[in-house]
């Protein structure tokens, strides 16, 4: 199993010292990261990743609101092969017509991305699971409208906060899911209450096992009350130890 770190987790540290923060990520044991806002930081970030032998298989960028050519160009420079749109507010997920329009935009972005050799995806929050369209969650309805080459990055914590079972949702979305966000906590909207993997209410290893076409599991904290570097280290240690144990028992 391959694990990455969503760099948004360390946004405060990155704003103060990008190269030093990336070095700490590598020292903790991560070999992969998921950048955000990478158009603005591509040159400095690329140098830091190269210096610390880190790769970025995926990255977040607002494909439906910013210049796609700039995004895909920066992604290629950083070696990002999948660009994931990270956020579309709740009002876009309440009506079938709006979801159809969003799917059309992302399908168009994927066609442009293909010209750069880059795959396109979408990352959910809670509202895509709280909204029900034609008897299924808005996320499932959205998935049914996407072209075959598009992928999903399922934020499994926000699925649970949205009132759905992430294991069940991952089974329903099937092979479309190539990435997941791994986080833990009390399943509330209090981001500061989020916890390292294995310390909250999410059955983390069951969730990972349910994503049958998973390429990368991405550790993320939206926020954290403790030392964030300790938090990501604890998450990675939990994941590595449990993955090794499952491998030994296979």
């Amino acid at each position: 199993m391959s694990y990455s770190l969503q760099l948004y987790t360390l946004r405060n540290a990155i704003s103060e010292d990008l190269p030093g923060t990336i070095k700490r990520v590598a020292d903790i044991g991560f070999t992969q990261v998921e950048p955000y806002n990478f158009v603005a930081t591509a040159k400095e970030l690329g140098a830091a990743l190269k210096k610390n032998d880190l790769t970025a298989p995926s990255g977040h960028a607002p494909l439906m609101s910013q210049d796609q050519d700039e995004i895909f160009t920066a992604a290629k420079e950083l070696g990002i092969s999948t660009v994931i749109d990270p956020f579309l507010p709740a009002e876009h997920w309440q009506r079938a017509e709006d979801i159809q329009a969003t799917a059309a935009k992302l399908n168009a972005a994927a066609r442009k991305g293909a010209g750069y050799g880059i795959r396109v995806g979408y990352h959910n929050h809670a509202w895509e699971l709280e909204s029900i369209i034609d008897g299924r969650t808005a996320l499932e309805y959205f998935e049914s409208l996407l072209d075959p080459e598009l992928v999903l990055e399922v934020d499994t914590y926000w699925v649970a906060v949205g009132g759905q079972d992430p294991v069940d949702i991952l089974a329903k979305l099937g092979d479309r899911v190539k990435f997941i966000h791994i986080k833990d906590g009390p399943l509330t909207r209090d981001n500061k209450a989020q916890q390292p993997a294995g310390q909250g209410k999410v059955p983390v290893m069951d969730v990972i096992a349910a994503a049958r076409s998973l390429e990368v599991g991405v550790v993320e904290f939206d926020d954290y009350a403790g030392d964030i570097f300790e938090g990501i280290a604890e998450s990675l240690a939990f994941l590595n130890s449990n993955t090794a144990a499952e491998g030994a028992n296979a």
Side-chain angles (χ1 to χ4, degrees), residues 19-36:
T21 300
I22 297 301
K23 183 180 184 303
R24 289 187 71 177
V25 169
D27 289 344
I28 286 169
F30 283 94
T31 60
Q32 301 176 110
V33 296
E34 184 174 73
Y36 72 102

Side-chain angles (χ1 to χ4, degrees), residues 35-43 45 58-61 70-72 74-76 78 80 83-84:
Y36 72 102
N37 191 32
F38 56 80
V39 171
T41 61
K43 187 173 181 180
L45 178 60
S58 59
H60 279 193
E70 282 188 354
I71 290 170
F72 293 134
K76 277 190 75 73
L78 291 166
I80 294 170
V83 173
I84 298 164

Side-chain angles (χ1 to χ4, degrees), residues 119-229:
R119 187 171 58 174
V120 164
Y122 181 76
H123 162 276
N124 66 281
H125 287 78
W127 42 79
E128 297 93 337
L129 288 305
E130 293 169 326
S131 176
I132 303 299
I133 306 292
D134 294 342
R136 50 185 166 167
T137 66
L139 185 62
E140 292 170 79
Y141 179 72
F142 176 64
E143 186 275 335
S144 73
L145 302 171
L146 297 177
D147 289 345
E149 61 270 21
L150 270 92
V151 302
L152 291 177
E153 177 175 65
V154 175
D155 190 309
T156 56
Y157 190 77
W158 287 120
V159 167
V161 172
Q164 301 293 329
D165 179 354
V167 170
D168 178 57
I169 289 294
L170 287 168
K172 288 177 177 176
L173 295 174
D175 293 340
R176 180 82 73 175
V177 181
K178 303 301 184 186
F179 303 86
I180 61 171
H181 271 187
I182 299 168
K183 61 182 76 163
D184 211 343
L187 303 182
T188 69
R189 283 181 161 82
D190 179 4
N191 291 345
K192 285 274 189 189
Q194 290 179 11
Q195 297 168 277
Q199 298 182 25
K201 292 186 175 181
V202 177
V204 173
M205 300 313 295
D206 291 343
V207 167
I208 292 171
R212 61 176 183 249
S213 292
L214 188 63
E215 295 174 3
V216 183
V218 184
V219 173
E220 184 190 38
F221 290 76
D222 293 284
D223 210 337
Y224 187 49
D227 182 292
I228 190 58
F229 288 97

Side-chain angles (χ1 to χ4, degrees), residues 63 68-69 71-73 75-76 80-83 105-121 149-150:
L63 289 165
Q68 293 176 359
D69 290 298
I71 290 170
F72 293 134
T73 298
K76 277 190 75 73
I80 294 170
S81 55
T82 303
V83 173
K105 289 179 183 177
L106 210 59
N107 286 335
R111 290 191 290 274
K112 178 168 280 193
Y116 290 82
I118 291 174
R119 187 171 58 174
V120 164
E149 61 270 21
L150 270 92

